[in-house]
Amino acid sequence: TGAGRKKDEL
Amino acid sequence: MNFFRLLGDLSHLASIFILLHKIQTTRSCRGISFKTQVLYVVVFVTRYLDLLTFQFHSIYNTVMKLFFIGSSIYILYLMRVRFRPTNDPSIDTFRIEYLLGPCAVLSLIFNYGYTWLEIPWSFSIFLESVAILPQLFMLQRTGEAETITTHYIAALGAYRALYIPNWIFRYFTEDNGVDAIAVVAGIVQTALYVDFGWIYFTKVLQGQKFELPA
């Protein structure tokens, strides 16, 4: 996946 | 999901319930910045566009997103319709275009992809980091606040502060790097609460009224 947006966070 | 993030999210939920409680019981939105509340609606709507893609994460994630969008719009309704006479725009004078413009520019420079989900998401992260400023500005102007209003702001600050140990925890326990946009904006956002937090701890939690030094 690599660094980037954490899609599970609100 | 870890302890810090769960506690942070619960603190965020609590802040909204405190605000609703304040407006309903005092039947007044005095001391609450309408502009900050408008910015939160913009933040939630632009961040949670992914609801439209039905890319499901968890029931928790979806329910929270819907709650944040719904409750923030409901608060605007309370302020603008239900308790409109108690809302005094003459002290809510922060110019939010000075926040919206730079956040739009930043989101075009820093994002995780030029798509209709990623640019609004990035914009919402930057905007959230400064959305409390009209509220803090109003506090500065009036020099005092109802205790319940300070509890609301403190809960918001706690929510932001708790996301920082969450990211540290995730950095060491997961193997997928750092969300640099969220972390940098999150640290800026938390820093904005430091001044307020100091007065909250030294005055309000000691049983005194929230008053700024003259």
Side-chain angles (χ1 to χ4, degrees):
Chain A
T1 45
R5 173 180 158 189
K6 302 281 184 280
K7 297 201 176 191
D8 56 336
E9 289 191 354
L10 292 162
Chain B
M1 174 62 71
N2 61 59
F3 173 75
F4 300 110
R5 186 146 54 102
L6 181 63
L7 211 59
D9 289 344
L10 292 179
S11 185
H12 195 184
L13 271 187
S15 76
I16 292 166
F17 284 116
I18 293 168
L19 180 58
L20 287 170
H21 180 78
K22 176 251 174 321
I23 296 174
Q24 306 275 20
T25 55
T26 64
R27 304 186 56 77
S28 160
C29 46
R30 192 168 69 92
I32 304 298
S33 165
F34 182 73
K35 290 181 174 178
T36 281
Q37 298 307 320
V38 167
L39 292 180
Y40 281 132
V41 171
V42 175
V43 163
F44 294 136
V45 169
T46 52
R47 184 170 312 166
Y48 301 149
L49 286 174
D50 61 352
L51 285 171
L52 301 174
T53 67
F54 298 102
Q55 279 181 354
F56 187 72
H57 298 286
S58 64
I59 291 178
Y60 174 84
N61 188 276
T62 301
V63 169
M64 292 289 258
K65 285 173 174 172
L66 291 173
F67 177 81
F68 288 137
I69 293 175
S71 61
S72 62
I73 293 172
Y74 179 60
I75 287 165
L76 290 195
Y77 158 78
L78 289 179
M79 295 188 76
R80 252 315 184 251
V81 183
R82 188 97 171 72
F83 299 112
R84 187 185 181 103
T86 63
N87 181 25
D88 182 4
S90 70
I91 50 168
D92 191 13
T93 51
F94 196 94
R95 302 286 295 268
I96 56 174
E97 49 271 45
Y98 294 148
L99 303 178
L100 291 164
C103 288
V105 172
L106 282 174
S107 68
L108 290 173
I109 302 171
F110 304 101
N111 57 61
Y112 293 127
Y114 284 90
T115 68
W116 67 275
L117 278 184
E118 291 300 331
I119 291 178
W121 177 86
S122 185
F123 171 74
S124 86
I125 293 289
F126 292 125
L127 188 61
E128 188 193 344
S129 72
V130 291
I132 197 65
L133 286 177
Q135 179 67 60
L136 293 176
F137 185 70
M138 197 164 153
L139 218 58
Q140 190 88 270
R141 277 195 66 156
T142 53
E144 54 164 34
E146 291 170 87
T147 301
I148 184 106
T149 303
T150 66
H151 292 328
Y152 162 65
I153 300 170
L156 273 179
Y159 143 62
R160 291 316 311 179
L162 284 160
Y163 259 65
I164 293 175
N166 154 61
W167 291 319
I168 296 171
F169 183 86
R170 296 192 81 170
Y171 177 77
F172 287 109
T173 56
E174 293 172 25
D175 195 24
N176 49 11
V178 173
D179 183 338
I181 293 172
V183 170
V184 172
I187 290 170
V188 169
Q189 186 175 357
T190 309
L192 296 182
Y193 286 92
V194 169
D195 255 15
F196 168 85
W198 173 255
I199 301 173
Y200 183 75
F201 277 111
T202 56
K203 283 201 172 168
V204 180
L205 288 187
Q206 314 296 328
Q208 297 173 44
K209 194 174 160 38
F210 183 95
E211 269 175 324
L212 295 176

